Amino acid sequence: MAMKIRLARGGSKKRPSYRIVAADSRMPRDGRFIEKLGTYNPLLAKDSEERVKMNMERVQYWLDQGAQPTDRVARFLEAAGAIEKKERANLLKGEPGKKAKARVEEKAAKAAAAAEAAAAPAEEAPAEEAPA
């Protein structure tokens, strides 16, 4: 039986709250679980102690039994120091699209042209004023 430590959603529409549960990976997200390990309330401030609560003793037990945490739960466990931080590769999601790249290049070209235009008259102006 493949075990997961994952989030099960609760709360009403647009007011989510989650239970951190140990569940069989074949069960539905909000369906049957074996044990509730904690809670997560994303509506609270990030520095609030009430945002993520976990029974670390039971979480460690399930990790020792071979349960695999999902990505979000793994981040909570890394922050709590229960597991070591692993390197993540966000390959293409954080990269801007073609149009955004074109806008950045266009903006950089305009800024360079403006800087060049500002530098050219500044150099010529003292030369013109000196003879007069």
Side-chain angles (χ1 to χ4, degrees), residues 9-120:
R9 192 180 193 279
S12 60
K13 181 174 156 183
K14 298 192 180 190
R15 301 283 299 168
S17 64
Y18 296 90
R19 291 185 309 257
I20 301 170
V21 298
D24 184 354
S25 64
R26 298 171 291 187
M27 294 298 138
R29 177 192 73 181
D30 300 334
R32 190 169 65 189
F33 60 90
I34 297 171
E35 184 179 356
K36 179 181 171 185
L37 304 173
T39 60
Y40 166 57
N41 187 350
L43 300 176
L44 295 176
K46 291 192 178 195
D47 59 349
S48 173
E49 292 180 20
E50 301 292 312
R51 186 176 168 102
V52 178
K53 290 185 190 175
M54 288 184 281
N55 182 347
M56 292 308 295
E57 192 174 293
R58 295 304 295 167
V59 169
Q60 196 59 51
Y61 167 79
W62 283 109
L63 290 172
D64 293 342
Q65 296 298 313
Q68 295 296 313
T70 58
D71 186 49
R72 177 60 48 191
V73 174
R75 288 174 186 261
F76 297 154
L77 295 174
E78 288 170 3
I83 60 175
E84 69 259 0
K85 197 166 190 151
K86 67 177 182 179
E87 198 65 34
R88 291 180 179 82
N90 190 2
L91 301 176
L92 298 176
K93 288 205 176 224
E95 198 170 304
K98 292 178 186 175
K99 288 185 178 180
K101 287 180 184 176
R103 282 194 301 266
V104 168
E105 289 174 10
E106 185 179 313
K107 190 174 182 179
K110 281 185 181 179
E116 194 173 294

